[in-house]
């Protein structure tokens, strides 16, 4: 069988995969036609704004009237409408440990793979009386597609979720997902099981097609709450990790390294929310969370290992201290606003070459600037579509301002410049960026989009993964009698940064070669973004909310990332660095079998474009190699099929 036929076979497998999940399992399981009447009190509470449409849908999903009343009581308890004592008298204390979180609370619904129907809490359905006697009923309305929300706008609610575990004063609710997929790449020169921009190296004679099966996307996490004596103060936390990290390289694992991925932290923070009034709240967050700059809007893609690294997604997680204020204006549109400001660990994603720095902190140029990175965002949230089962819309703006410093020690200063820099040298460069993002859910389509522009955004997985470069324009090299402009035949002298992650150039600033200087480092400028359109196929085509066809959805995605061509030309060489733009077009079909199991098929095309020209040193560079031939375009036709189980 030829290598190319693997891609065709995988595409066929994807079609059969989803078809089987629909037809075979639809015949194997029957739906319960009985459905309790909805308590009229629920509609009254919804009309008064106490319950949301999503919460009403949760109550309507109960397989019995008694279970519906229990869910209603749990929601009223979480909102503070009734007290714990009222709840105990009405329902009983034993149910408190297993109640369901509010669908409107982004804090207790983790940002895992969000598909057609929000997942119910399996612990709830399995624990309450009568839950084992009949299957849970489907919602009365098929919900619209909700954006992936990694940031809440609503303040944390005291006892806002019912814990699955209690450890003394700590209330804990675990979550996560298990994911497995089969992947065929038309071209993957780096040997990765996720896409990266092309032209990172020669692809070999046939483009390096590859086939992978991966199961390291396992993600586990837990939400925490500590009950404070003050009813106005809510203390929550989150810890989340996955197995998308590196691979162990020790003697007892060397042979089996490929299946021995290591766990790594994604999120780890605690948060304080204070209710300052009926419509106002303030909060402070300490720990590692998504960055305020650019991370509010994420595309719905099945490939989440890289999630568009170098292809226009822009996101990051980092240690931070974040502070914010939220205000609820109320009204029929439920308009809310939330500005935030944060000091963030300055990180730039450069790879150190010195082992001691790798073991110590990983990289130094950000922290060597001796100042925090400043990031902020502002969110306006409102109900765009008031139909049942539709999440609120958001308009978001964010910014970043940072600085990096490369240090050259006295020992590594070039010999000709030691007298001018007897104690060593430093060189700085700036990072700046802004983003605009929208999330517009409606009953028949959900549109999310992002645009960003800035400089030195490698750490945020954009800018074609370039960071900065040494600018030798207007500099000279030589001696007083033989002083010439810096060029390929008359290069500047070089020294290594203290962590070995960057080369610093030394030259002279005047044509007589008497005034020594360090070549300034310029950040690579970049821009890009994406558009992601989600279509709830089951709702569009009027599927039965209680039938097996209620879980179909389709996502269409396009993203592009540009590094400014002028900057690329200034540091490119004949060997590498001539890529300047990458884009991706993808289509993802999901079938949600039930509240926990989703089957997905994703077809995508990843492309990278190259430049040719002359760099700042006067060196002419050509096109990089693809299949052994200089070319301007690198393509990767990618097929991925798999399943995700959430809990």
């Amino acid at each position: 069988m030829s290598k190319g036929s693997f891609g065709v076979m995988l595409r066929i497998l994807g079609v059969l995969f989803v078809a089987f999940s629909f037809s075979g399992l639809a015949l194997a399981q029957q739906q319960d036609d009985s459905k309790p009447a909805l308590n009229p009190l629920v509609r009254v509470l919804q009309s008064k704004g106490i319950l949301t449409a999503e919460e009403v849908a949760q109550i309507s999903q109960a397989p019995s009237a008694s279970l519906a009343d229990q869910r209603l009581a749990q929601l009223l308890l979480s909102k503070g409408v009734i007290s714990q004592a009222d709840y105990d008298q009405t329902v009983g204390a034993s149910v408190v440990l297993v109640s369901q979180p509010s669908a409107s609370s982004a804090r207790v619904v983790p940002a895992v793979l969000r598909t057609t129907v929000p997942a119910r809490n399996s612990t709830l359905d399995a624990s309450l009386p009568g839950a084992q006697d009949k299957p849970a009923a489907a919602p009365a309305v098929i919900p619209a597609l909700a954006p992936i929300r990694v940031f809440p706008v609503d303040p944390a609610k005291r006892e806002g979720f019912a814990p699955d575990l209690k450890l003394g004063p700590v209330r804990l609710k675990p979550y996560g997902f298990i994911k497995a997929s089969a992947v065929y790449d038309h071209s993957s020169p780096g040997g990765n099981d996720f896409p990266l921009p092309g032209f990172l190296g020669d692809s070999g004679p046939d483009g390096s097609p590859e086939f992978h099966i991966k199961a390291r996307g396992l993600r586990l996490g837990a939400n925490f709450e500590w009950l404070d004596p003050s009813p106005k103060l809510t203390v929550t936390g989150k810890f989340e990790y996955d197995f998308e990290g590196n691979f162990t390289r020790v003697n007892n694992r060397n042979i089996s390294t490929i299946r021995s991925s290591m766990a790594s932290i994604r999120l780890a923070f605690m948060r304080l929310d204070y209710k300052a009034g009926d419509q106002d709240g303030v909060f402070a967050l300490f720990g590692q969370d998504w960055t305020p700059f650019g991370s509010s809007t994420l595309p719905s893609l099945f490939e989440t290992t890289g999630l568009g690294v170098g292809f226009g997604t822009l996101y990051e997680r980092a240690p931070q201290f974040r502070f914010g204020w939220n205000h609820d204006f109320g009204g029929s549109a439920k308009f809310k606003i939330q500005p935030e400001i944060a000091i963030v660990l300055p990180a730039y994603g450069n790879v150190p070459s010195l082992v001691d720095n790798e073991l110590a902190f990983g990289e130094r140029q950000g922290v060597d600037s001796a100042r925090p990175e400043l990031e902020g965002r502002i969110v306006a949230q409102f109900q765009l579509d008031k139909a049942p089962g539709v999440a609120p819309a958001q308009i978001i703006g964010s910014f970043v301002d940072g600085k990096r410093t490369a240090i050259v020690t006295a020992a590594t200063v070039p010999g000709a410049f030691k007298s001018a820099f007897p104690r060593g040298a430093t060189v700085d460069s700036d990072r700046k960026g802004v983003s605009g993002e929208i999330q517009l859910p409606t009953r028949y389509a959900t549109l999310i989009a992002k645009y960003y522009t800035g400089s030195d955004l490698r750490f945020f997985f954009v800018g074609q993964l370039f960071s900065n470069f040494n600018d030798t324009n207007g500099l000279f090299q030589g001696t007083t009698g033989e002083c010439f402009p810096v060029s390929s035949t008359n290069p500047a002298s070089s020294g290594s940064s203290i962590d070995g992650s960057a080369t610093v150039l030394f030259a002279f600033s005047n044509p007589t070669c008497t005034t020594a200087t360090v070549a300034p480092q310029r950040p690579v400028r970049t821009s890009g973004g994406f558009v992601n359109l989600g279509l709830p196929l089951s709702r569009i085509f009027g599927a039965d909310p209680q039938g097996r066809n209620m879980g179909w959805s389709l996502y269409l995605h396009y993203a592009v990332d540009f590094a400014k061509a002028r900057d690329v030309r200034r540091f490119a060489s004949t060997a590498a660095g001539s890529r300047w733009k990458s884009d991706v077009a993808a289509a993802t079909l999901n079938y949600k079998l039930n509240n926990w199991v989703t089957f997905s098929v994703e077809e995508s095309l990843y492309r990278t474009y190259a430049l040719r020209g002359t760099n700042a040193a006067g060196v002419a560079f050509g096109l990089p190699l693809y299949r052994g031939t200089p070319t301007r375009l690198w393509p990767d036709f990618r097929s991925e099929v798999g399943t995700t189980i959430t809990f």
Side-chain angles (χ1 to χ4, degrees):
M1 183 179 292
S2 66
K3 293 181 178 179
S5 63
F6 275 112
V8 177
M9 183 177 68
L10 196 58
R11 294 182 181 95
I12 296 174
L13 175 62
V15 176
L16 295 176
F17 201 44
V18 174
F20 169 78
S21 66
F22 166 64
S23 59
L25 293 174
L27 295 175
Q29 300 190 30
Q30 299 296 324
Q31 294 296 314
D32 186 359
D33 295 331
S34 62
K35 188 177 192 310
L38 190 64
N39 190 330
L41 176 62
V42 174
R43 295 301 182 192
V44 174
L45 294 173
Q46 182 184 11
S47 66
K48 293 181 176 297
I50 298 175
L51 295 178
T52 66
E54 292 83 3
E55 291 165 343
V56 172
Q58 292 175 25
I59 298 171
S60 69
Q61 293 168 12
S64 66
S66 61
L67 184 56
D69 290 340
Q70 289 169 0
R71 292 186 177 181
L72 173 59
Q74 293 160 12
L75 287 169
L76 295 178
L77 173 64
S78 68
K79 293 172 177 290
V81 177
I82 63 175
S83 66
Q84 183 68 58
D86 296 332
Y87 179 88
D88 293 341
Q89 293 175 5
T90 305
V91 179
S94 61
V95 187
V96 176
L97 297 180
V98 291
S99 63
Q100 182 169 351
S102 165
S104 64
S105 175
R107 191 167 294 97
V108 298
V109 181
V112 294
L113 293 184
R114 197 73 64 84
T115 52
T116 306
V117 184
R120 291 193 298 272
N121 186 339
S122 59
T123 307
L124 170 68
D125 293 342
S127 303
L128 293 178
Q132 303 292 342
D133 300 333
K134 60 178 69 177
V141 176
I142 297 176
L145 299 182
I148 299 174
R149 294 271 167 84
V150 299
F151 286 112
V153 169
D154 297 315
K157 295 180 175 63
R158 184 179 176 86
E159 298 184 79
F161 67 87
D164 293 325
L165 295 172
K166 281 188 176 181
L167 303 174
V170 182
R171 298 156 50 88
L172 184 149
K173 190 171 195 65
Y175 64 85
F177 67 74
I178 301 171
K179 177 181 174 183
S181 64
V183 184
Y184 175 80
D185 282 287
H186 172 76
S187 177
S188 182
N192 299 292
D193 59 6
F194 65 98
L196 280 175
F199 302 135
L200 297 177
D202 192 349
S203 65
D206 58 358
S208 297
E210 289 195 341
F211 173 78
H212 291 269
I213 292 181
K214 57 179 181 176
R216 59 193 180 95
L218 170 64
R219 186 175 303 170
L220 300 171
N223 293 299
F224 299 84
E225 182 180 6
W226 295 263
L227 292 181
D228 186 82
S230 170
K232 293 187 176 183
L233 181 63
T234 302
V235 184
T236 56
K238 182 187 289 287
F239 176 75
E240 181 178 291
Y241 70 99
D242 64 17
F243 287 83
E244 297 277 17
N246 60 351
F247 295 90
T248 303
R249 298 292 293 177
V250 292
N251 286 340
N252 68 328
R253 290 284 183 173
N254 283 347
I255 295 175
S256 61
T257 291
I258 196 169
R259 53 92 172 161
S260 302
S261 55
M262 300 176 66
S264 56
I265 294 176
R266 288 170 53 86
L267 304 172
F269 63 80
M270 63 91 66
R271 173 169 168 151
L272 304 175
D273 282 82
Y274 183 76
K275 187 176 181 181
D278 292 338
Q279 296 175 300
D280 295 276
V282 293
F283 69 88
L285 181 145
F286 309 95
Q288 179 159 299
D289 195 9
W290 298 87
T291 57
F293 171 63
S295 298
S296 302
T297 304
L298 301 176
S300 293
L301 292 171
F302 186 55
E303 174 50 67
T304 55
T305 298
L307 197 64
V309 172
F311 290 95
T313 299
L314 193 140
Y315 67 95
E316 192 51 274
R317 298 179 295 272
Q320 60 193 267
F321 285 7
R322 190 167 83 241
F323 308 91
W325 162 69
N326 43 65
H327 179 75
D328 186 354
F329 291 90
S332 61
K334 301 178 181 178
F335 185 77
K336 301 176 182 178
I337 191 170
Q338 179 170 295
E340 302 175 55
I341 194 73
I343 56 172
V344 183
L345 172 72
Y348 288 82
N350 291 85
V351 180
S353 61
L354 302 180
V355 176
D356 57 341
N357 279 282
E358 289 181 0
L359 296 177
F361 199 75
E363 66 165 272
R364 290 190 49 175
Q365 291 200 21
V367 295
D368 281 340
S369 67
R371 53 154 285 186
E373 185 163 278
L374 188 65
E375 297 187 25
R377 74 168 195 149
I378 184 168
V379 184
Q381 178 174 293
F382 56 95
Q383 194 67 42
L384 177 65
D385 189 336
K386 300 178 183 179
V390 180
Q394 290 186 350
I395 299 176
I396 305 159
S398 69
F399 75 91
V400 61
D401 181 87
K403 179 182 178 182
R404 66 192 296 173
T405 300
I407 299 174
V408 179
T409 62
T412 55
V413 172
F417 295 87
K418 285 187 179 293
S419 60
F421 300 97
R423 300 168 57 190
T426 62
V427 58
D428 300 328
S429 64
D430 294 327
R431 168 193 283 161
K432 297 185 183 299
V434 295
S435 78
E437 306 166 50
I438 58 171
Q439 302 178 8
L440 306 177
T442 68
R443 68 194 75 182
Y444 294 128
T446 295
L447 176 67
I448 65 174
K450 176 188 298 183
Y451 170 78
Y452 59 85
T453 184
S455 57
D456 200 354
L457 299 182
R458 169 186 165 89
F459 185 64
F460 295 90
F461 307 119
V462 294
Q464 290 305 284
L465 307 184
F466 296 133
S467 53
N468 58 9
F469 62 94
N470 293 297
D471 186 359
T472 59
N473 279 352
L475 299 183
F476 301 84
Q477 179 68 299
T479 61
T480 303
E482 298 180 352
C483 188
F484 303 98
V486 171
S487 66
S488 59
T489 57
N490 190 47
S493 300
S494 63
S496 178
S497 64
I498 196 170
D499 62 348
S501 68
T503 298
V504 178
L505 298 184
F506 294 79
F508 296 94
S509 60
N510 59 342
T512 58
C513 289
T514 55
T515 305
T517 189
V518 177
Q521 292 189 339
R522 311 292 187 193
V524 175
R525 293 166 289 180
T526 184
S527 60
F530 69 82
V531 176
N532 188 270
L533 180 66
L535 302 172
L537 300 181
S538 297
R539 182 162 181 160
I540 291 174
F541 291 103
D544 181 2
Q546 301 184 32
R548 281 295 186 190
N549 272 331
M550 56 88 67
W552 291 93
S553 63
L554 175 66
Y555 287 93
L556 304 176
H557 177 76
Y558 179 77
V560 63
D561 176 56
F562 294 87
K564 194 172 184 66
R566 182 187 307 170
D567 293 342
V568 174
R569 287 192 175 98
R570 294 183 69 180
F571 70 85
S573 67
T574 55
S578 55
R579 67 185 182 279
W580 71 284
K581 182 179 81 168
S582 292
D583 67 356
V584 56
T588 308
L589 178 65
N590 296 316
Y591 172 64
K592 189 152 190 174
L593 172 66
N594 53 38
N595 292 318
W596 306 279
V597 181
T598 301
F599 298 97
S600 301
V601 177
E602 186 165 277
E603 293 291 329
S604 52
L605 171 60
Y606 291 83
R607 301 182 298 183
T608 297
Y609 297 83
L611 286 171
R612 71 167 77 214
T614 303
N615 66 10
V619 177
F621 59 90
L623 295 173
L625 297 179
Y626 171 64
R627 292 184 171 180
T629 303
T631 184
R632 187 179 296 274
L633 174 65
W634 168 87
D636 176 21
F637 296 92
R638 179 181 174 87
S639 301
E640 185 168 7
V641 300
T643 185
T644 306
I645 301 177
T646 61
F647 56 90

